[in-house]
Amino acid sequence: MDRERSARQLRMIGETVELAKALSVEVWLRGGWAMDFFIGEVTRDHVDIDWFTWAEDASALTDGLLRSGYEPLSGPPADQQLDFRKQGVESSFALLDKDRFGRVVVAGGPWAGEVWPEGMLDAPEGRIGALRCRVINPHAQIEIKQMMPVWVPGRPRRTKDAEDITRLKAALREDTHRA
């Protein structure tokens, strides 16, 4: 495992959490880092940092990230996801909205209006060491990782996703036994 890269990414996560708090913007880790914060330790190398945030906060978050030295990257449609890089670390912010029924949905792009898993944002904070961060619900994380090849035809199931699902299920079993 590349400990230097992980440490740099953890610093960026902490910086993003503090910036979002200062801006009164909600952010949730998703993907591999959300899993690690739920489990409480770094379990593998991560290519980037994946987040969710509300579309209505995208402008304020973008301004704050740019003032903090992040540079914008091209990527998916800007109404669907915002991508940035700082110190060699990429961060992606998938944008959320709510539909007329109050369900959390994809904010824009080709999947605009598609519903995310129920209860996705209803999880306690995760942590690694002293660093705390909101994460998506691990059950939703599993569903997303299982369904992504179905939702996005042509996207193969990745080995790291299968391994993450196994880790999350084991952590959920342990959490149930402790309760």
Side-chain angles (χ1 to χ4, degrees):
M1 187 177 323
D2 186 339
R3 296 194 188 289
E4 182 180 314
R5 181 179 178 81
S6 293
R8 192 168 55 247
Q9 289 173 327
L10 283 166
R11 283 193 303 276
M12 292 293 114
I13 290 169
E15 181 179 306
T16 301
V17 167
E18 290 304 313
L19 175 65
K21 188 183 302 182
L23 296 170
S24 298
V25 169
E26 292 180 291
V27 294
W28 293 264
L29 276 175
R30 61 186 174 95
W33 276 113
M35 174 194 65
D36 282 359
F37 270 74
F38 174 71
I39 291 171
E41 65 182 337
V42 181
T43 63
R44 64 171 174 83
D45 285 320
H46 300 278
V47 174
D48 57 8
I49 304 166
D50 297 311
W51 300 91
F52 279 121
T53 194
W54 296 110
E56 66 188 24
D57 295 328
S59 180
L61 182 61
T62 296
D63 291 346
L65 291 168
L66 294 174
R67 283 193 311 272
S68 296
Y70 286 77
E71 61 183 87
L73 300 173
S74 60
D79 61 345
Q80 176 184 330
Q81 179 171 299
L82 304 171
D83 295 339
F84 297 90
R85 179 176 38 231
K86 181 176 180 179
Q87 298 174 1
V89 176
E90 292 186 16
S91 295
S92 297
F93 296 84
L95 303 179
L96 303 172
D97 202 354
K98 288 190 177 179
D99 66 10
R100 62 189 180 104
F101 303 107
R103 299 176 300 189
V104 177
V105 299
V106 176
W111 296 283
E114 290 295 322
V115 178
W116 284 106
E118 188 174 336
M120 181 176 78
L121 305 179
D122 301 333
E125 278 188 326
R127 72 182 183 112
I128 294 178
L131 181 55
R132 294 182 171 276
C133 184
R134 293 176 83 176
V135 299
I136 66 168
N137 184 298
H139 296 286
Q141 179 81 351
I142 291 168
E143 181 178 345
I144 291 167
K145 286 185 173 282
Q146 287 175 328
M147 294 302 297
M148 196 55 69
V150 175
W151 294 338
V152 184
R155 180 174 177 171
R157 187 166 313 279
R158 302 177 303 184
T159 301
K160 71 177 183 176
D161 290 331
E163 292 168 351
D164 288 354
I165 290 167
T166 300
R167 283 186 191 103
L168 282 166
K169 286 181 175 181
L172 285 166
R173 281 191 301 275
E174 287 175 19
D175 200 43
T176 301
H177 293 314
R178 282 186 291 225

